[in-house]
């Protein structure tokens, strides 16, 4: 790729957005044209549904408050075909919050329900210095998972959806929330997106306009990169005094294997990423055993996570995962098996200092929308569940008081296991912005002292502020064989993605950018959304082709100069076991 090794900063090419108010609607439709609900929960993932489940548990014993909420006491608005359809995580979960929220279900029943796959009894952590070698090391404290449970968050969300509906929630799937309703300085609900528009926005024969959904309280549970969460953060200054949000990208496969894996495995590199600081690459992997209690099948969850701080434009989480699978350690686990699922998702990486303020008049943030992920321990699902429970309790208390004040939730999160655990790792990832070799010892010190050293508050810089160059990481990627290593498009195919070809484009990027920015997007996207035409010039600007119907809603583009907005309701992947 010689001849176009210029450097460019993604932030210099901001996405085209009509105005700061594009995602906010300031006038409500007439009363007879809108839908009124008690509590509107935006996002049917683990955090949003935990909020619904906990609130409905409390309302079940309080008929008076339930009646005051009207015909639809709780509405869950989910853009995927079903709850969990866009949800993906590793995931090995600390079971406490799940046991607290669903005390009537034993861990064996979790497995029989099809969303849990076994308790961790053995584990191993390896350094992989080369493509051939693996050195087993004692598990660092954050990596100790004995007693935790391997789960599928997409399947967990479907279980939570069933409980919510049984409890009286109205779950509205295939419905995107595209604008936040804000009047008199308070959130009043959301506007749902139009359906049945063509590529240029024109109404088609099956056109259905969106609707104002007003609520006494609104919960933003959009996960990573929610458009309304971003609008709320800007509108209400929720990130003032905080560090900027930073992000990571995970790509995951699920394999059916001939022999069971008997332990949970993490690798911490440095291979297959490049260790030199100029590349800015920090990544790691997981390999989790999954025993399907219903079928008896032995499954393996395998994934690669890359910090979106990297500088080499040819960095690709999907291709790094394919490269990692060639390691002898992995081959002996997957050999003779069959890939049955694939997916990708960005996740918040900023931790404690990057968490926005969680409440505003009329609304609050839960789970990944609030940045509640411990990227040292690779844990976020139990924080999603716990935050949803605390949100449900805060909303219930406010409803009992007849108040719109939800500030008690902020304090409850801070004093809970969420605040405690995230505070202990508050300075453990920032040193990696200096590179793996320089930052590693500081990170180890922060882990060993539970955040006491280094003291104070270490800062972040935004991922899109990182200057990008076209390096040589891609030279190590294997050629897909379609049996063991795979290309991006065949991977998208098995997600069940059914976005129609004539849907409007939901991805915002500048179409004419320097080659290095275009290369960044092309390689970064696990779904092959961004293409550079074959006849594009080697130097200067190039036109980017955006194949938005491939999009699996991972959100990584928003970290590197673009913006993901909600697709038409029902579009995107339909994850089953991710």
């Amino acid at each position: 790729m010689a001849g176009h090794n210029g450097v460019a900063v993604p932030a210099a090419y901001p996405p085209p957005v009509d105005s700061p108010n594009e995602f906010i609607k300031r006038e409500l439709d007439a009363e007879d044209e809108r839908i009124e609900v008690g509590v509107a929960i935006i996002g049917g993932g683990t955090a949003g549904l935990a909020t619904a489940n906990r609130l409905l548990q409390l309302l079940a014993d309080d008929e008076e408050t339930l009646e005051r909420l009207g015909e639809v006491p709780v509405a869950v608005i989910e853009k995927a075909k079903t709850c969990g359809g866009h949800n993906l995580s590793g995931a090995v979960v600390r079971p406490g919050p799940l046991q607290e929220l669903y005390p009537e279900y034993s861990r064996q029943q979790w497995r029989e329900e099809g969303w849990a796959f076994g308790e961790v009894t053995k584990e191993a952590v390896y350094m992989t210095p080369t493509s051939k070698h693996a050195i087993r090391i004692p598990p660092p404290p954050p990596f100790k998972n004995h007693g935790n449970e391997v789960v599928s968050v997409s399947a967990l969300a479907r279980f939570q959806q069933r409980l919510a509906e049984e409890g009286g929630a109205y779950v509205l799937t295939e419905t995107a929330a595209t604008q936040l309703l804000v009047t008199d300085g308070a959130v009043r609900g959301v506007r749902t997106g139009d359906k049945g528009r063509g590529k240029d926005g024109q109404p088609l024969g099956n056109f259905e306009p969106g609707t104002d959904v007003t609520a006494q309280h609104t919960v933003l549970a959009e996960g990573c990169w929610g458009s309304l969460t971003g609008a709320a953060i800007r509108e209400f200054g929720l990130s003032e005094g905080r560090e900027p949000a930073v992000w990571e990208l995970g790509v995951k496969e699920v394999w059916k294997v001939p022999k069971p894996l008997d332990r949970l495995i993490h690798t911490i590199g440095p291979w297959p990423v490049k260790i030199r600081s100029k590349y800015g690459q920090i990544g790691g992997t997981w390999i989790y055993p999954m025993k399907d209690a219903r079928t008896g099948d032995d499954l393996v969850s395998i994934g690669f996570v890359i910090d979106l701080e990297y500088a080499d434009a040819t960095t690709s989480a999907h291709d790094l995962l394919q490269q990692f699978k060639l390691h002898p350690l992995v081959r002996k686990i997957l050999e003779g098996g069959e890939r049955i699922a694939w997916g990708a998702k960005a996740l918040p990486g900023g931790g404690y200092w990057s968490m926005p303020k969680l409440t505003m008049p009329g609304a609050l943030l839960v789970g990944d929308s609030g940045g509640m992920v411990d990227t040292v321990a690779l844990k976020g699902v139990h924080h999603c569940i716990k935050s949803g429970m605390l949100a449900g309790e805060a909303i219930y208390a406010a409803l009992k008081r007849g108040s719109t004040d939800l500030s008690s939730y902020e304090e409850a999160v801070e004093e809970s296991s969420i605040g405690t655990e995230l505070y202990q790792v508050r300075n453990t990832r920032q040193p990696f912005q200096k590179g793996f070799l320089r930052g590693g010892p500081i990170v180890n010190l922060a882990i060993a002292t539970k955040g006491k050293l280094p003291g104070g508050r270490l800062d972040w810089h935004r991922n899109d502020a990182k200057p990008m160059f076209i390096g040589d990481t891609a030279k190590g990627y294997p050629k897909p064989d379609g049996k063991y290593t795979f290309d991006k498009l065949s991977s998208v195919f098995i997600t069940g993605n059914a976005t129609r070809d004539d849907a409007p484009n939901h991805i915002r990027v500048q179409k004419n950018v320097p080659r290095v920015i275009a290369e960044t997007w092309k390689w970064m996207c696990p779904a092959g959304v961004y293409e550079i035409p074959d006849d594009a010039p080697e130097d200067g600007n190039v036109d980017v082709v955006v194949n938005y119907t491939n999009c699996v809603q991972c959100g990584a583009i928003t970290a590197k100069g673009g913006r993901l907005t909600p697709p038409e309701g029902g579009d995107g992947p339909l994850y089953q076991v991710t």
Side-chain angles (χ1 to χ4, degrees):
M1 291 189 180
H4 50 267
N5 284 327
V7 172
V9 177
Y13 304 91
V17 176
D18 291 348
S19 75
N21 293 326
E22 181 178 347
F23 304 105
I24 292 181
K25 185 169 182 275
R26 301 189 185 277
E27 290 185 5
L28 303 183
D29 288 353
E31 265 189 67
D32 60 349
E33 292 179 7
R34 61 191 194 226
I35 298 172
E36 292 192 8
V37 304
V39 177
I41 298 171
I42 316 308
T46 49
L49 288 164
T51 308
N53 291 161
R54 182 62 186 132
L55 178 57
L56 290 162
Q57 287 172 357
L58 295 166
L59 290 170
D61 298 321
D62 186 350
E63 211 165 296
E64 183 188 340
T65 305
L66 183 64
E67 282 186 12
R68 276 196 283 118
L69 290 174
E71 284 184 33
V72 182
V74 177
V76 178
I77 298 172
E78 167 55 49
K79 68 184 186 300
K81 280 189 169 66
T82 181
C83 289
H86 292 175
N87 289 81
L88 178 144
S89 182
V92 59
V93 175
R94 292 180 184 148
L98 283 163
Q99 292 169 319
E100 190 182 350
L101 182 56
Y102 307 116
E104 67 274 29
Y105 288 88
S106 68
R107 289 178 71 162
Q108 182 55 37
Q109 286 173 301
W110 297 358
R111 295 160 203 155
E112 291 164 2
E113 288 281 348
W115 53 267
F117 297 91
E119 182 176 338
V120 178
T121 56
K122 290 183 181 178
E123 56 192 317
V125 178
Y126 293 90
M127 289 191 72
T128 48
T130 72
S131 62
K132 304 291 185 193
H133 300 94
I135 302 166
R136 190 167 177 178
I137 62 172
F143 278 67
K144 289 181 178 172
N145 282 284
H146 197 87
N148 291 335
E149 187 84 18
V150 178
V151 308
S152 155
V153 291
S154 56
L156 170 57
R158 293 195 299 275
F159 165 78
Q160 292 177 282
Q161 175 183 353
R162 191 189 83 214
L163 295 190
E165 289 175 325
E166 289 171 358
Y170 183 60
V171 180
L172 195 61
T173 55
E174 299 191 49
T175 305
T178 56
Q179 289 180 299
L180 202 62
L181 302 178
V182 178
T183 62
D184 300 323
V187 176
R188 293 287 307 280
V190 298
R191 173 83 178 179
T192 64
D194 296 343
K195 297 179 81 169
R197 288 192 181 275
K199 273 188 179 180
D200 300 321
Q202 76 278 18
L204 303 177
N206 60 344
F207 175 71
E208 296 174 29
T211 307
D212 285 2
V213 179
T214 58
Q216 295 179 39
H217 298 284
T218 301
V219 178
L220 295 177
E222 298 177 290
C224 203
W225 293 124
S227 290
L228 304 193
T229 303
I233 287 171
R234 290 188 296 274
E235 176 76 5
F236 295 97
L238 304 182
S239 60
E240 288 175 11
R242 267 67 167 178
E243 290 300 315
V246 294
W247 310 90
E248 300 178 3
L249 174 62
V251 176
K252 171 180 181 175
E253 296 181 353
V254 180
W255 282 67
K256 184 178 174 181
V257 292
K259 59 179 186 287
L261 176 63
D262 70 345
R263 68 196 60 207
L264 176 146
I265 295 171
H266 287 106
T267 74
I268 55 175
W271 185 89
V273 302
K274 294 188 177 293
I275 200 167
R276 289 169 59 197
S277 60
K278 76 175 246 184
Y279 288 90
Q281 294 174 346
I282 299 294
T285 72
W286 76 82
I287 311 173
Y288 297 160
M290 300 169 68
K291 183 75 170 180
D292 191 325
R294 298 168 303 169
T295 64
D297 289 340
D298 289 304
L299 308 175
V300 169
S301 162
I302 179 170
F304 187 93
V305 178
I306 190 79
D307 193 319
L308 289 171
E309 172 64 10
Y310 64 78
D312 180 355
T314 73
T315 306
S316 163
H318 171 83
D319 292 295
L320 285 164
L321 175 59
Q322 305 313 306
Q323 189 177 356
F324 174 66
K325 288 191 301 182
L326 300 181
H327 197 286
L329 174 72
V330 185
R331 269 214 183 266
K332 69 181 182 185
I333 295 168
L334 300 184
E335 201 73 72
E338 175 195 4
R339 185 178 75 156
I340 62 169
W342 172 95
K345 201 73 174 173
L347 61 146
Y352 187 83
W353 297 126
S354 293
M355 284 175 62
K357 187 175 186 295
L358 299 174
T359 62
M360 67 215 86
L364 51 73
L365 310 178
V366 293
D368 283 9
S369 286
M372 300 176 200
V373 176
D374 174 354
T375 54
V376 180
L378 305 175
K379 294 282 182 296
V381 178
H382 70 300
H383 292 329
C384 287
I385 299 293
K386 185 66 177 178
S387 69
M389 293 170 64
L390 296 174
E393 290 162 5
I395 290 168
Y396 177 72
L399 291 169
K400 289 290 285 182
R401 296 193 311 269
S403 166
T404 57
D405 180 13
L406 297 171
S407 58
S408 65
Y409 168 68
E410 195 99 30
E411 190 177 329
V413 168
E414 184 68 32
E415 292 178 356
S416 73
S417 56
I418 303 170
T420 301
E421 290 178 21
L422 292 181
Y423 186 72
Q424 287 179 350
V425 295
R426 62 197 179 277
N427 287 328
T428 49
R429 287 304 300 273
Q430 297 93 315
F432 276 138
Q433 292 198 332
K434 301 175 187 293
F436 187 83
L437 291 176
R438 288 174 60 202
I442 307 171
V443 169
N444 291 336
L445 182 64
I447 291 171
T449 63
K450 293 192 173 180
K452 293 183 175 68
L453 294 172
R457 167 172 149 179
L458 301 189
D459 59 0
W460 291 103
H461 60 253
R462 289 169 53 110
N463 297 139
D464 60 5
K466 184 83 166 185
M468 303 300 296
F469 73 98
I470 296 174
D472 57 359
T473 300
K475 288 181 179 176
Y477 301 153
K479 188 175 182 181
D481 62 18
K483 292 181 180 177
Y484 188 74
T485 55
F486 300 90
D487 65 14
K488 292 178 176 180
L489 295 187
S490 65
S491 300
V492 172
F493 180 76
I494 66 169
T495 67
N497 188 354
T499 304
R500 58 185 172 89
D501 290 340
D502 62 345
N505 183 2
H506 62 282
I507 295 170
R508 307 289 180 82
V509 292
Q510 289 197 32
K511 298 288 181 65
N512 184 266
V513 293
R515 179 104 197 189
V516 64
I517 300 297
E519 294 280 356
T520 299
W521 297 343
K522 181 188 87 169
W523 288 104
M524 175 188 66
C525 178
V529 168
Y530 309 95
E531 275 186 50
I532 301 171
D534 291 340
D535 59 355
E538 289 293 300
D539 293 298
N541 279 23
V542 300
D543 293 321
V544 178
V545 177
V546 181
N547 304 307
Y548 56 89
T549 56
N550 291 0
C551 179
V552 293
Q553 297 288 298
C554 83
I557 187 63
T558 311
K560 289 290 195 183
R563 182 174 296 179
L564 180 70
T565 71
E568 180 175 284
D571 285 356
L574 184 58
Y575 292 141
Q576 301 291 330
V577 294
T578 54

